[in-house]
Structures are given as C-alpha cells and as structure tokens.
Amino acid sequence: GKLVALRLSDSYNVNGIVRDASSVESFFEGRDNINLFQVDLLDEMKGEGSTLAPALQKANAIVICTGTTAFPTKAWSRSGETDIAGDVLKA
C-alpha cells in the first residue's frame, strides 16, 4: 500500500488508513498531500470505532491494498509452502 499511496500522491491528495501510523510516517516524509488515519477496522465493524468516517470524507475513490506483499513471496502461494516469485516474474 505504501508504494500505491506514494504514486497516487504525485497527482492526488491521499488519505491513508493504517493500523499504526508511526510505522509509515517516515516513508511519506515531505509529502504534504498524504494524510494518515490510524484506524482499527475491527472496532469499526463492532460499531465501537469513530476513526474510519473522517478518513473517507470527500473521497472520490477507494483503493484497497491489504492482504498481500508488494513483491512475490511465499505469501503469494495458496498454501504458503512454495515460492512462486520466479513464476510471477517470468509472466
């Protein structure tokens, strides 16, 4: 998600929804058009959160970048046992 937000910020204002803002703030240093919102989606789903709505205000689009790594790893394999990086890079 960091690379996507970085590229989008070349042309757009970006609101990033993160679990821990302190873990990515330095990556976006100097990008004034990237705003990070620390959100616990589990709390939001239970109706106990109030941090998601402000992050989505005035949004024209939503790009979801969860559940994978930026580069091919064993995490891309359905079983997690095989390394498919070579196959992906060949494609």
Side-chain angles (χ1 to χ4, degrees), residues 35-50:
N35 297 306
L36 298 176
F37 291 84
Q38 193 161 299
V39 176
D40 185 329
L41 293 177
L42 293 176
D43 285 348
E44 295 289 335
M45 289 173 49
K46 293 185 279 186
E48 300 171 0
S50 60

Side-chain angles (χ1 to χ4, degrees), residues 77-91:
S77 166
R78 289 188 190 272
S79 66
E81 295 175 7
T82 60
D83 184 5
I84 64 165
D87 295 336
V88 172
L89 294 174
K90 289 178 194 173

Side-chain angles (χ1 to χ4, degrees), residues 12-42:
Y12 304 98
N13 292 325
V14 175
N15 288 352
I17 297 172
V18 297
R19 282 179 276 186
D20 179 9
S22 66
S23 69
V24 294
E25 285 172 332
S26 62
F27 187 83
F28 298 122
E29 194 171 317
R31 295 284 179 142
D32 295 333
N33 60 332
I34 297 179
N35 297 306
L36 298 176
F37 291 84
Q38 193 161 299
V39 176
D40 185 329
L41 293 177
L42 293 176

